[in-house]
Amino acid sequence: MKAKSLLAMLTAMALSVNFVSCSDDDEPGGGGAGSGDATKRLGKIFVQSPEGDANNEVVFQYDNEGRVSEMAVNCDHHSGDSWTDTYAYSYNGNEVTVNVSIYEGSSDYDFEENFSTITYTLNSKSYVETGSEIESNGSENQYIFHYTDDYLTGVTEVEEYDGRTHTHETEKNQIVSDGQILPYDWDAVEYTDIPNKANFFFHYSNEVDIFDTYEFFELYWANLAGKAPKYLPKKVTDRLEGDWNFDYKLDDDGYVEQINITDEKGGPNAIITCTYEEL
């Protein structure tokens, strides 16, 4: 399932960034942003572009077991257009079904709504193990998820398009050291010593635009795709875009309230604001 590029990476980053993080002794998976020993869970993420002309908000809802039941991604585009992408989760034993409604297009000004339904099987730690997707055009895609020490380190995708079946590998994340991950689309990452108390996953490609909803981001945000890094990133290096630096404002409980992302020249790239619900 491919998504559009907007304030994308920002939101993808914001949303992947940090939310309640599980330590090695925390309960794994299935709890959404706020599992393990968390005292809070994520309610909203607001991503603002430096120019202020493109803002995005992600709103989380939870079921009565504390699992993410819906994510609504509200997009305000610099063209003046606005729309909402939705991800609805339904849990049944060792399966979770995600119904997706997103807007995609060939350009920033030509969007159409697309639907897909993905059913995942869960392993013993409530992380996705396999996935089967049916898209609005009727095509079917299959996914197999690979983990190392409970960190997602690869996905095998079998997709149908152009009348043919294509198999490829993606999400080739590397474990740099215990609790430190090098996402597949970064060249280098330097971590802070700030605990990742909210299970944030930072991902993006070629730029920092958190709303390029990267593939499988809806699984990361729902704590269904393995453990999050133990600490928050300080600097990310991309060979095409250079370095990105992260500064954090924390609340009294150590949860991230705001993230300021700047480029290697000190120029602003995005401001991400997070709000939480008490557990």
Side-chain angles (χ1 to χ4, degrees):
M1 180 178 61
K2 302 296 187 289
K4 58 188 168 296
S5 173
L6 273 209
L7 231 187
M9 289 194 7
L10 278 189
T11 304
M13 251 173 61
L15 291 177
S16 35
V17 193
N18 154 11
F19 288 123
V20 158
S21 161
C22 307
S23 68
D24 288 342
D25 297 328
D26 291 338
E27 297 177 5
S35 58
D37 295 331
T39 60
K40 301 178 181 180
R41 66 186 181 190
L42 191 65
K44 293 181 181 180
I45 297 176
F46 184 76
V47 184
Q48 181 178 3
S49 68
E51 299 80 11
D53 61 351
N55 301 314
N56 300 285
E57 179 185 61
V58 181
V59 181
F60 293 84
Q61 294 185 23
Y62 299 86
D63 65 15
N64 56 10
E65 295 186 32
R67 301 171 298 194
V68 173
S69 60
E70 182 179 284
M71 285 195 313
V73 183
N74 303 312
C75 309
D76 289 326
H77 194 244
H78 61 76
S79 65
D81 294 330
S82 61
W83 63 88
T84 298
D85 295 340
T86 58
Y87 302 81
Y89 303 76
S90 177
Y91 301 87
N92 182 21
N94 70 333
E95 290 188 346
V96 57
T97 298
V98 184
N99 289 298
V100 181
S101 172
I102 62 174
Y103 285 81
E104 297 180 305
S106 57
S107 72
D108 285 345
Y109 307 101
D110 180 23
F111 295 111
E112 63 179 20
E113 190 171 14
N114 286 277
F115 302 91
S116 65
T117 298
I118 315 171
T119 298
Y120 298 98
T121 60
L122 305 176
N123 63 20
S124 62
K125 295 188 176 180
S126 296
Y127 300 143
V128 292
E129 192 167 45
T130 63
S132 178
E133 176 182 24
I134 300 177
E135 299 194 57
S136 54
N137 61 8
S139 63
E140 296 186 16
N141 305 317
Q142 305 295 323
Y143 306 101
I144 301 173
F145 297 81
H146 309 287
Y147 298 89
T148 301
D149 297 331
D150 292 333
Y151 293 102
L152 183 65
T153 51
V155 179
T156 301
E157 301 184 18
V158 181
E159 301 181 309
E160 295 180 4
Y161 56 90
D162 297 332
R164 297 173 10 181
T165 299
H166 305 261
T167 301
H168 60 279
E169 304 292 329
T170 186
E171 301 292 307
K172 296 181 180 179
N173 305 321
Q174 300 178 39
I175 301 176
V176 180
S177 63
D178 181 38
Q180 296 188 2
I181 307 300
L182 177 62
Y184 70 98
D185 44 13
W186 295 352
D187 292 297
V189 58
E190 178 182 347
Y191 283 91
T192 67
D193 59 359
I194 302 173
N196 183 4
K197 292 197 70 175
N199 282 344
F200 278 56
F201 290 85
F202 282 92
H203 285 260
Y204 57 65
S205 54
N206 297 337
E207 58 180 316
V208 181
D209 185 358
I210 283 198
F211 252 138
D212 183 37
T213 45
Y214 55 85
E215 198 157 22
F216 306 119
F217 84 102
E218 73 277 9
L219 299 179
Y220 286 109
W221 296 355
N223 281 351
L224 294 170
K227 295 193 298 187
K230 288 184 178 179
Y231 302 99
L232 297 176
K234 178 180 180 180
K235 181 172 72 173
V236 170
T237 299
D238 182 280
R239 64 180 179 276
L240 298 178
E241 299 294 329
D243 294 339
W244 302 101
N245 299 294
F246 301 82
D247 291 310
Y248 302 92
K249 178 183 177 182
L250 307 179
D251 66 15
D252 292 340
D253 298 316
Y255 288 83
V256 174
E257 285 187 338
Q258 189 174 88
I259 307 167
N260 292 305
I261 305 175
T262 57
D263 61 27
E264 58 187 357
K265 297 179 181 179
N269 185 273
I271 298 174
I272 300 167
T273 303
C274 304
T275 59
Y276 300 88
E277 301 173 357
E278 298 286 343
L279 293 178

